[in-house]
């Protein structure tokens, strides 16, 4: 009987700690329609043309965040990885994902997700993404800070901007 009581006590303590952590991270509520998003240019770690709207949190800081990203038609993000998991939900349009060290639009393993599609890109996994003939909006969420490590440093838009200054 003692082992069962100890297990129950441990579960209650762990559950309580988890609940306290979640409650501490949820300081304000967010209820937002897509039309209420406040769009602006995406940060320079993404190729030019993307737009961002922060939904919750701060993607530049430690902690949970959620953002909307809007990509124009025929937009591509070269092969890269992130130090944390990346969760993606396609809201409109279509986004094609591929794995590997180079963006290859003809790779047989590429998969295009339509509205409602979900992708999880684990930390440090090289992947790429691109749109085809339509504008695409996604919701991206995870643990910040968000960072991009391009496989080929020449693909990093931040390097191109430094070179033109």
């Amino acid at each position: 009987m003692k082992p069962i009581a100890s297990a129950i006590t441990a579960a209650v303590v762990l559950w309580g700690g988890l609940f306290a952590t979640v409650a501490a991270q949820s300081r304000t509520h967010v209820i937002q329609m897509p039309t209420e998003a406040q769009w602006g240019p995406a940060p320079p770690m993404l190729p030019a043309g993307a737009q961002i709207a922060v939904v919750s949190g701060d993607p530049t800081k430690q902690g949970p965040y959620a953002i909307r990203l809007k990509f124009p038609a025929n937009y591509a993000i070269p092969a890269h990885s992130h130090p944390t998991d990346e969760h993606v939900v396609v809201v409109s349009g279509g986004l094609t994902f591929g794995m590997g060290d180079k963006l290859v639009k003809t790779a047989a393993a590429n998969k295009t997700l339509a509205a409602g599609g979900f992708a999880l890109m684990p930390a440090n996994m090289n992947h790429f993404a691109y749109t085809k003939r339509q504008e695409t909006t996604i919701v991206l969420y995870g643990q910040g800070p968000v960072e991009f490590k391009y496989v080929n440093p020449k693909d990093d838009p931040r390097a191109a901007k430094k070179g033109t200054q």
Side-chain angles (χ1 to χ4, degrees):
M1 188 69 165
K2 249 186 175 179
I4 293 173
S6 295
I8 292 171
T9 302
V12 168
V13 168
L14 289 173
W15 179 258
L18 176 63
F19 180 74
T21 301
V22 171
Q25 293 173 354
S26 303
R27 295 194 178 120
T28 62
H29 70 280
V30 176
I31 302 173
Q32 183 186 80
M33 296 295 295
T35 55
E36 297 173 304
Q38 307 233 342
W39 294 99
M45 67 181 70
L46 284 169
Q51 295 181 11
I52 188 173
V54 176
V55 177
S56 69
D58 183 341
T60 67
K61 295 183 179 167
Q62 189 77 29
Y65 71 89
I67 60 175
R68 296 178 193 273
L69 286 168
K70 191 183 302 183
F71 304 125
N74 303 307
Y75 182 83
I77 304 171
H80 64 281
S81 65
H82 311 279
T84 58
D85 290 354
E86 178 181 67
H87 302 80
V88 180
V89 177
V90 178
V91 175
S92 66
L95 189 61
T96 302
F97 291 94
M99 303 301 147
D101 295 341
K102 185 176 180 184
L103 191 151
V104 180
K105 290 186 176 181
T106 57
N110 291 356
K111 186 165 186 172
T112 301
L113 298 178
F118 172 81
L120 167 63
M121 300 299 162
N124 304 310
M125 176 180 276
N126 291 343
H127 61 281
F128 53 85
Y130 59 93
T131 63
K132 294 180 181 174
R133 288 177 263 166
Q134 58 186 328
E135 180 180 86
T136 298
T137 301
I138 66 170
V139 169
L140 188 144
Y141 62 95
Q143 291 289 320
V146 174
E147 183 52 69
F148 276 64
K149 180 182 177 190
Y150 286 89
V151 174
N152 181 348
K154 291 179 183 177
D155 289 336
D156 190 334
R158 295 167 290 198
K161 290 180 191 241
K162 286 179 187 172
T164 61
Q165 293 177 348

